[in-house]
Amino acid sequence: MLRKIRIILAGLFFIGITLLFLDFTGTIHHWFSWMAKIQFLPAVLALNFVVIAGLLLLTLIFGRIYCSVICPLGIMQDVIARLNRKKNKYSYSAAKSWLRYAMLVVMVASIIAGLASVVALLAPYSSFGRIATFLLQPLWQLGNNVLATIAEHLDSYAFYTTDVWMKSLTTFLIALATLLIIGFLAFRHGRTYCNTICPVGTFLSFFARFSLFKIHFDEGKCKNCSLCSKNCKAACIDFKTHSVDYSRCVVCGNCIDKCKFGALAYTIKKTKKTAEATTKEEATAVDEGKRSFLLATALMTTAAMAQEKKKVDGGLAVIEEKLAPKRQTPITPPGSLSAKNMQKHCTACQLCVSECPNGVLRPSSDLTKLMQPMMSYERGYCRPECTRCSEVCPTGAIKPISVEDKSSVQVGHAVFIQKNCVAVTDGVECGNCSRHCPVGAIEMVQLDENDEESPFIPAVNESRCIGCGACEHLCPARPYPAIFVEGHEVHKTV
């Protein structure tokens, strides 16, 4: 029963979070965005103490069920492990504590130092987000486009086509490498990644040692058949000594399900006989666990405090592709407050990138901000009425923002490059940038006010411009636009 309940709950969480990343219509996040906000590391970065306390209390009562029920990367490993049909494929192995604690220290130090690239690579939820966004979402969109084509022939508008494009080759390759590495480890060895690399699993392991409910042996019933050890994906059951490493156990229930003699039970207390069999080594392990727990708690608390302080045109002619201009300062989404806030809080989970309906957000290739979302306007512009990225961000990197407030947030300002303007180079009338500016920050003026025949070019009022990119996106100049948005390190209110 324990195993069936876990599988049902894990399935619901896995489907919900996966759909959250696959969705491009803007409807799923209204139902499932809370699943992203209860992930452990996003909750820590968002300083969501209610969620953090809830997850720690859950671990203190039931053990590391977060890793097998709530964490999508952990559930994905279980799915991959089931693909290996070889029976009795696991065995007990000692914990690689030096590696686990080293990864935790690296993660905490990276959060404090603002090393976003390291945090993004180690965060389990973010790793799954990249896999879902860059490997699964394109397949989902292609399937949608097939249905849209069929619906079109049936005069139905139930589906509509969507663009499938490569948002970042670097992030795609990282996502593919992550899937291959973690997938291989899960297929061959089960929960190796969770219990050797994942810093979230290591931190929760300190609390799991003292959980109220645990899996216990009844030595009187145990026949030393080893089936429990051979079916434990976490490699944490030593049937020879009738012991369980609770710091690595994710309470999957496989051992109880496979035991033919009823020698294992998920209970509050040990039986009297088992309690008397506790060895000196186990007592020493508890002492070490207490020391490790205190160390990890101090590290995570320090990290949390550090975060709190650091707050087109028609016709048959071939249209040349527009290239992104070289910006001195990258543009971060409205609600992110500043480039520093984005760098400190974002784990590069790609949820905002997958949810952006305008094709504006894409992962950065800058090593200091690797895979964090930046804005670019080749495929669209940031519409003033859209606030979806701020609605779905689980870490506080993009704060919730209203439509009214967004229209007054200046993420950058437009810069005019006269030599690229078609009114100057081709002698044609344009004015696209001025006509489509949603805040009226661009006015068309004559290039030479003393010459009535001189072309009209845009003049930007920087105090009114909000950096939405409508002018840059709709500029007909190729390959580089004649007007583009330069980002601001700190956002302003206009």
Side-chain angles (χ1 to χ4, degrees), residues 136-448:
L136 299 183
Q137 190 187 58
L139 299 177
W140 180 268
Q141 291 176 309
L142 289 173
N144 169 83
N145 290 349
V146 171
L147 295 176
T149 302
I150 296 174
E152 182 180 356
H153 285 84
L154 299 176
D155 294 326
S156 171
Y157 296 96
F159 299 91
Y160 61 90
T161 58
T162 181
D163 289 338
V164 182
W165 55 289
M166 178 65 71
K167 298 179 177 70
S168 168
L169 178 60
T170 302
T171 306
F172 169 81
L173 294 175
I174 292 175
L176 181 60
T178 301
L179 177 62
L180 293 176
I181 294 172
I182 295 180
F184 173 78
L185 292 174
F187 187 81
R188 293 292 301 273
H189 307 291
R191 287 272 183 163
T192 300
Y193 173 84
C194 286
N195 288 326
T196 56
I197 303 297
C198 179
V200 173
T202 300
F203 181 75
L204 292 178
S205 71
F206 301 127
F207 294 84
R209 297 173 191 268
F210 312 103
S211 62
L212 184 62
F213 286 88
K214 295 177 180 176
I215 293 176
H216 296 297
F217 273 92
D218 186 336
E219 296 182 26
K221 295 181 180 180
C222 181
K223 307 299 181 183
N224 289 343
C225 68
S226 77
L227 282 178
C228 54
S229 295
K230 291 179 178 179
N231 287 278
C232 177
K233 294 189 292 289
C236 66
I237 299 179
D238 187 355
F239 74 96
K240 296 179 181 179
T241 60
H242 302 112
S243 61
V244 180
D245 183 351
Y246 299 113
S247 71
R248 291 185 289 159
C249 176
V250 295
V251 199
C252 66
N254 284 2
C255 54
I256 298 175
D257 184 64
K258 293 296 182 180
C259 182
K260 299 178 181 179
F261 308 103
L264 289 168
Y266 184 57
T267 58
I268 295 179
K269 296 181 179 180
K270 294 183 179 182
T271 62
K272 184 177 180 181
K273 184 175 181 180
T274 306
E276 292 174 353
T278 302
T279 63
K280 184 177 180 180
E281 289 77 9
E282 289 174 320
T284 303
V286 171
D287 291 337
E288 291 178 354
K290 290 180 179 178
R291 288 193 293 270
S292 301
F293 162 73
L294 293 173
L295 172 62
T297 302
L299 288 171
M300 293 300 285
T301 302
T302 303
M305 292 176 63
Q307 287 300 307
E308 190 171 18
K309 290 180 180 179
K310 297 179 180 179
K311 313 271 188 221
V312 166
D313 47 356
L316 300 177
V318 176
I319 301 177
E320 186 177 4
E321 290 292 332
K322 181 181 289 187
L323 300 178
K326 295 180 180 179
R327 311 181 203 274
Q328 293 183 356
T329 304
I331 312 169
T332 58
S336 60
L337 306 181
S338 65
K340 185 176 182 180
N341 180 74
M342 173 66 76
Q343 186 174 358
K344 290 292 184 181
H345 289 83
C346 180
T347 62
C349 72
Q350 309 304 311
L351 183 55
C352 59
V353 174
S354 67
E355 287 278 349
C356 180
N358 305 309
V360 170
L361 293 178
R362 69 270 329 260
S364 171
S365 57
D366 186 343
L367 286 178
T368 61
K369 310 175 185 67
L370 186 63
M371 299 181 289
Q372 292 191 342
M374 300 297 168
M375 301 172 71
S376 198
Y377 305 118
E378 294 79 63
R379 290 181 167 268
Y381 67 96
C382 191
R383 297 181 178 273
E385 71 275 9
C386 176
T387 59
R388 196 179 304 172
C389 59
S390 73
E391 294 169 2
V392 301
C393 178
T395 66
I398 308 176
K399 306 289 185 182
I401 187 172
S402 66
V403 173
E404 293 77 15
D405 290 338
K406 181 180 178 181
S407 298
S408 62
V409 173
Q410 188 182 58
V411 299
H413 65 274
V415 177
F416 176 58
I417 307 297
Q418 180 177 313
K419 66 179 182 180
N420 293 345
C421 184
V422 295
V424 177
T425 59
D426 299 344
V428 297
E429 293 185 5
C430 181
N432 261 8
C433 51
S434 177
R435 284 194 300 273
H436 295 285
C437 178
V439 294
I442 301 177
E443 179 184 0
M444 300 303 294
V445 298
Q446 281 191 309
L447 178 61
D448 184 356

